[in-house]
Amino acid sequence: MSIFYYDKTFDGLLSVVFDAYKIKHFPQALLAEGDIEPMFMERVHTTVTDPNKSDRVWAALGKKLSRQALNHIHHVWQSELSEADHLIFRYIRKVIDAPHSIETHFADEDVMAMLKLAKKVSKDTMYLIEFVRFQKTKENIFFAPVAPDYNTLPLALHHFIDRFADQHWALYDIRRGYGFYYNLQRVEEIILPDENTLIDGKINPTLLAEDEQQFQTLWRNYFKAITIRERINKRQQRQHMPARFWHLLPEMQN
């Protein structure tokens, strides 16, 4: 079995593609330093991430794929699934080697796998956007904890920058322990230093603005007022508002 090691970054993966074509050897496994090596390995190569290499590979893909297909590659990477990097590697190989675009060759198992996984990640991104509930803090920052299945927070940032360009806000992925803060000019990645900032995945009530609880009460009352009890359908509600998000939604709290 042929093994390549790399740093498990997207640029690193593209650098792996560059190296593989340069040395004319293609790996069957992609590992990070410290991963357990499979037995009976044939060859080991370590790729050092190089922006020049990754840019050249991405530019080559841009000549053979649509913008949508390029986005699918990013979406599959953000899935964080253990086999995602090798799926992308196989897909890129086929793209480069084919004389024409393969993005609509749905009979190919890798093309179909890319499409299915990209759609799942895209759907999870939309869920993140739909079910964000900001809370105002004492520092006048609108804060929202999120918990997507996939690492979709970076994919949703442009929506929030466009929609809330005139407000200070922060989104924090409680599953992955990182987030982004927008200061009216740019977005920067953050990690909450104080473990007491979040309690059970929710912002500590002592950090909220004085009127935030009133707004949440008004929102819950509005949600209750527009509910037609005779037409409550829990099954349909879960289809449109998956229960895994309910613990982050004020309107679903008692």
Side-chain angles (χ1 to χ4, degrees):
M1 179 175 287
S2 177
I3 301 171
F4 275 34
Y5 286 92
Y6 78 110
D7 62 1
K8 291 294 180 175
T9 65
F10 188 69
D11 280 342
L13 179 58
L14 296 181
S15 298
V16 166
V17 174
F18 185 96
D19 283 358
Y21 276 93
K22 182 178 180 179
I23 66 176
K24 295 181 173 57
H25 197 92
F26 301 93
Q28 284 76 49
L30 299 171
L31 303 179
E33 292 293 339
D35 287 347
I36 299 176
E37 296 181 0
M39 296 179 63
F40 311 115
M41 60 184 181
E42 174 187 335
R43 181 174 179 177
V44 174
H45 173 79
T46 299
T47 289
V48 177
T49 299
D50 185 337
N52 292 324
K53 293 179 180 180
S54 60
D55 288 346
R56 288 178 63 179
V57 173
W58 194 249
L61 292 174
K63 296 177 181 178
K64 305 193 72 173
L65 292 174
S66 66
R67 172 54 56 183
Q68 183 181 41
L70 292 173
N71 286 339
H72 284 171
I73 294 176
H74 274 301
H75 280 59
V76 171
W77 175 260
Q78 293 301 125
S79 73
E80 296 184 320
L81 297 182
S82 58
E83 69 275 13
D85 58 351
H86 207 264
L87 171 60
I88 294 172
F89 180 85
R90 294 195 305 270
Y91 178 76
I92 290 177
R93 252 194 97 180
K94 291 178 179 180
V95 170
I96 293 174
D97 293 346
H100 305 289
S101 174
I102 68 165
E103 61 186 270
T104 57
H105 292 183
F106 302 127
D108 185 286
E109 60 180 11
D110 288 330
V111 174
M112 201 62 195
M114 288 284 294
L115 180 62
K116 287 182 177 180
L117 184 51
K119 284 186 175 181
K120 289 181 180 179
V121 175
S122 179
K123 185 175 183 179
D124 201 44
T125 304
M126 291 307 302
Y127 277 148
L128 187 154
I129 292 172
E130 291 173 4
F131 299 126
V132 158
R133 298 294 184 267
F134 284 105
Q135 301 175 67
K136 186 180 179 182
T137 69
K138 293 178 179 178
E139 290 78 18
N140 289 321
I141 298 173
F142 289 87
F143 181 92
V146 296
D149 281 348
Y150 304 111
N151 188 17
T152 55
L153 186 52
L155 301 175
L157 283 180
H158 284 298
H159 167 82
F160 293 102
I161 294 171
D162 292 341
R163 180 66 178 82
F164 304 106
D166 60 342
Q167 298 173 353
H168 292 263
W169 52 260
L171 293 162
Y172 202 79
D173 188 330
I174 58 178
R175 285 189 175 182
R176 294 164 184 84
Y178 85 103
F180 292 96
Y181 167 64
Y182 177 68
N183 64 5
L184 301 183
Q185 296 180 339
R186 58 189 173 86
V187 172
E188 57 186 40
E189 187 172 331
I190 60 171
I191 295 177
L192 296 180
D194 189 350
E195 61 182 13
N196 294 322
T197 301
L198 295 174
I199 300 177
D200 295 329
K202 302 175 185 177
I203 189 169
N204 190 327
T206 62
L207 302 177
L208 295 175
E210 293 183 3
D211 58 354
E212 175 59 30
Q213 194 59 50
Q214 296 177 1
F215 280 113
Q216 290 192 28
T217 300
L218 287 172
W219 175 244
R220 283 193 292 269
N221 289 340
Y222 170 76
F223 185 78
K224 186 183 298 184
I226 64 174
T227 299
I228 303 175
R229 294 186 176 277
E230 293 76 14
R231 295 187 179 181
I232 291 178
N233 185 329
K234 292 292 185 181
R235 181 177 180 182
Q236 188 177 50
Q237 185 180 40
R238 287 186 174 90
Q239 289 178 344
H240 296 283
M241 184 188 290
R244 61 189 171 94
F245 297 106
W246 289 9
H247 69 290
L248 298 175
L249 305 179
E251 64 267 32
M252 301 305 293
Q253 310 303 312
N254 295 326

